[in-house]
């Protein structure tokens, strides 16, 4: 069962439970997934679905950052939606898992002592392996830790 069907069934369950907030959050996520599928003119792959969910979560975090502190209604709504969307987001890699991937890439490139000038090469090979599974800023930080 694809993510669209999964979200739809969760939305139906929320409607049956008269959970209006959850239903609205799932409806918004379902819309985002369907819009991308319509634009693509084909069914989405698991990776594409995960990308859409992560993009929606990122947009909610951006909204939270820009919302004034006195707008508690918006802050509560964003936090609730993030919690709901994270149920459908792929499990993110931990810092240790990223370190293992970075070590493997450095070994693959045959670099004994990585320097700052090697960061581009490392990131170019590493990012396709962790795309959608790890936060880009965390990956960049971990790679920076490896550099002399």
């Amino acid at each position: 069962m694809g993510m669209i069907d999964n979200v739809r069934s969760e939305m139906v369950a929320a409607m049956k439970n008269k959970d209006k907030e959850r239903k609205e959050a799932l409806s918004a996520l379902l819309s985002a997934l369907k819009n991308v599928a319509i634009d693509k003119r084909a069914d989405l792959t698991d990776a594409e679905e995960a990308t859409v969910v992560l993009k929606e979560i990122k947009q909610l975090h951006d909204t939270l950052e820009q919302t004034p502190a006195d707008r508690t209604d918006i802050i509560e709504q964003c936090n609730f939606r993030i919690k709901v969307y994270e149920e459908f987001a792929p499990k993110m890699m931990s810092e240790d898992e990223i370190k293992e991937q970075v070590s493997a890439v450095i070994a693959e490139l045959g670099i004994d002592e990585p320097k700052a000038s090697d960061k581009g090469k490392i990131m170019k090979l590493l990012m396709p392996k962790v795309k959608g599974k790890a936060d880009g800023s965390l990956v960049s930080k971990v790679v920076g830790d490896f550099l002399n």
Side-chain angles (χ1 to χ4, degrees), residues 91-94 98 127 130-139:
K91 182 187 170 293
M92 298 306 261
M93 294 173 75
S94 69
I98 296 170
M127 286 313 288
V130 298
K131 185 170 174 43
K133 299 178 202 164
D135 179 43
S137 59
L138 180 60
V139 172

Side-chain angles (χ1 to χ4, degrees), residues 37-57:
I38 290 169
D39 290 346
K40 183 183 173 195
R41 291 190 167 94
D43 289 339
L44 299 177
T45 64
D46 290 345
E48 290 168 330
E49 289 173 339
T51 302
V52 172
V53 173
L54 292 173
K55 181 180 173 210
E56 291 297 311
I57 291 171

Side-chain angles (χ1 to χ4, degrees), residues 35-103:
N35 286 339
V36 173
I38 290 169
D39 290 346
K40 183 183 173 195
R41 291 190 167 94
D43 289 339
L44 299 177
T45 64
D46 290 345
E48 290 168 330
E49 289 173 339
T51 302
V52 172
V53 173
L54 292 173
K55 181 180 173 210
E56 291 297 311
I57 291 171
K58 184 178 183 322
Q59 286 177 343
L60 287 167
H61 280 292
D62 292 346
T63 301
L64 277 175
E65 287 176 20
Q66 297 171 3
T67 304
D70 62 335
R71 292 300 310 267
T72 56
D73 55 329
I74 295 173
I75 292 170
E76 287 172 13
Q77 182 186 28
C78 285
N79 285 327
F80 180 79
R81 285 191 176 197
I82 288 169
K83 197 171 72 182
V84 171
Y85 292 0
E86 284 176 344
E87 295 173 24
F88 301 96
K91 182 187 170 293
M92 298 306 261
M93 294 173 75
S94 69
E95 194 168 336
D96 292 334
E97 292 170 317
I98 296 170
K99 284 178 183 175
E100 289 174 20
Q101 289 288 332
V102 172
S103 296

